[in-house]
């Protein structure tokens, strides 16, 4: 597999539902990261991306919040009717905390997600690292296939050392850029929620994401996508501008774009 052998299809990203597929173009197989969207949207955006759901090898669940899990059951049941039974990987703490995961325990091959370890699935090596979020447990991923690599991290209030290491030297980087600090401060959320979002167990701001991106820029990095953008405390332009400015400061030519709540973004 040469460079560009992996693709990232962000089906949805935001507080109303999250789902993304990392596709191995050599095998055609893919891995679904989270499923917080309905079956109709899942199938429609797979079709738009040109990805065959029958090629879905696994579902990886980052944490137990419902915007990442609420569609798992209905999508699994829909796929099962087509004879497709992807393995579901979830951390034991998330499994215990999530009613959505509990509801599918008897309907799929459910396996422990090894945070700090590695999986081999869909012809890819998947490195699993912990993140800092107010959930039972939370994680992000580094996908490697041939000489290609995708880094994927959302839902974290700070960048852990393990996360930084895993996201280094990737070609495609999916990086949370959740909120604008001033918009959050001036916005409609109650103060305790504002404090949670901006805490080390909340979400990365545009400024935090841009600062981290500066440290991750490499000759290999080609594509950056801003993830989990708040519809109340951000715009789709602000995180792109912040991340693009980080690239410009370092004279780096990576392309920066936003992931959307209700629109597919495919990155090749």
């Amino acid at each position: 597999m040469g460079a560009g052998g992996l693709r990232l299809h962000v089906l949805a990203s935001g507080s109303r539902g999250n789902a993304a597929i990392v596709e191995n173009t050599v095998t055609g197989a893919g891995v679904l990261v989270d499923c917080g969207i309905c079956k109709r949207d899942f199938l429609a955006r797979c079709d738009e991306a040109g990805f065959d759901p029958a090629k879905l090898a696994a579902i990886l669940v980052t944490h137990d919040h419902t915007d990442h899990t609420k569609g798992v059951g209905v999508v699994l049941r829909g796929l099962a009717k087509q004879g497709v039974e992807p393995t579901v990987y979830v951390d034991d703490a998330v499994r215990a905390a999530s009613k959505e995961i509990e509801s599918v325990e008897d309907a799929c091959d459910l396996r422990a997600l090894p945070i700090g370890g590695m999986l081999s699935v869909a012809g890819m090596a998947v490195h699993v690292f912990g993140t800092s979020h107010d959930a039972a447990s939370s994680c992000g991923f580094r996908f490697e296939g041939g000489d290609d690599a995708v880094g994927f991290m959302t839902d974290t209030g700070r960048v852990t050392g393990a996360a930084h290491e895993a996201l280094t030297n990737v070609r495609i980087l999916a990086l949370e850029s959740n909120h604008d600090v001033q918009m959050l401060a001036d916005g409609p959320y109650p103060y305790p929620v504002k404090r949670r979002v901006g805490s080390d167990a909340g979400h990365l701001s545009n400024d935090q994401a841009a600062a981290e991106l500066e440290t991750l820029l490499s000759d290999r990095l080609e594509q950056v996508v801003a993830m989990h953008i708040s519809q109340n405390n951000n715009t789709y332009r602000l995180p792109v501008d912040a991340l693009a400015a980080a690239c410009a400061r370092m004279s780096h030519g990576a392309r920066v774009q936003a992931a959307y709540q209700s629109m597919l973004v495919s990155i090749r």
Side-chain angles (χ1 to χ4, degrees), residues 149-191:
V150 173
F152 189 101
M153 182 176 70
T154 68
D155 296 82
T156 191
R158 62 183 178 87
V159 182
T160 66
H164 175 78
E165 181 179 355
L167 298 175
T168 298
N169 199 30
V170 297
R171 185 179 67 85
I172 298 172
L173 176 63
L175 180 64
E176 177 171 61
S177 193
N178 173 258
H179 61 277
D180 174 80
V181 172
Q182 194 61 53
M183 286 184 69
L184 177 64
D186 296 341
Y189 287 178
Y191 176 71

Side-chain angles (χ1 to χ4, degrees), residues 64-94:
D64 54 285
H65 290 169
T66 57
D67 56 321
H68 296 258
T69 62
K70 63 188 175 185
V72 171
V74 67
V75 167
L76 279 174
R77 288 189 288 273
L79 292 174
K81 291 179 180 179
Q82 302 175 34
V84 182
E85 298 181 348
T87 302
V88 179
Y89 292 91
V90 58
D91 180 75
D92 288 342
V94 173

Side-chain angles (χ1 to χ4, degrees), residues 64 90-102 105 110 136:
D64 54 285
V90 58
D91 180 75
D92 288 342
V94 173
R95 180 175 181 173
S98 172
K99 292 181 179 179
E100 289 77 16
I101 299 302
E102 181 184 13
E105 286 190 358
L110 193 63

Side-chain angles (χ1 to χ4, degrees), residues 39-50:
K39 182 179 70 172
R40 179 195 62 202
D41 287 345
F42 170 77
L43 293 174
R45 290 178 196 162
C46 281
D47 184 63
E48 186 180 352

Side-chain angles (χ1 to χ4, degrees), residues 6 129 141-144 147-152 163-174 213 216-224 252 254:
L6 302 183
F129 58 86
F141 307 103
R142 177 190 180 94
F143 297 87
E144 296 180 345
D147 60 359
D148 204 4
V150 173
F152 189 101
H164 175 78
E165 181 179 355
L167 298 175
T168 298
N169 199 30
V170 297
R171 185 179 67 85
I172 298 172
L173 176 63
L213 177 58
L216 294 174
L217 294 172
S218 68
D219 291 342
R220 191 182 197 184
L221 184 63
E222 296 177 3
Q223 303 273 358
V224 180
H252 196 284

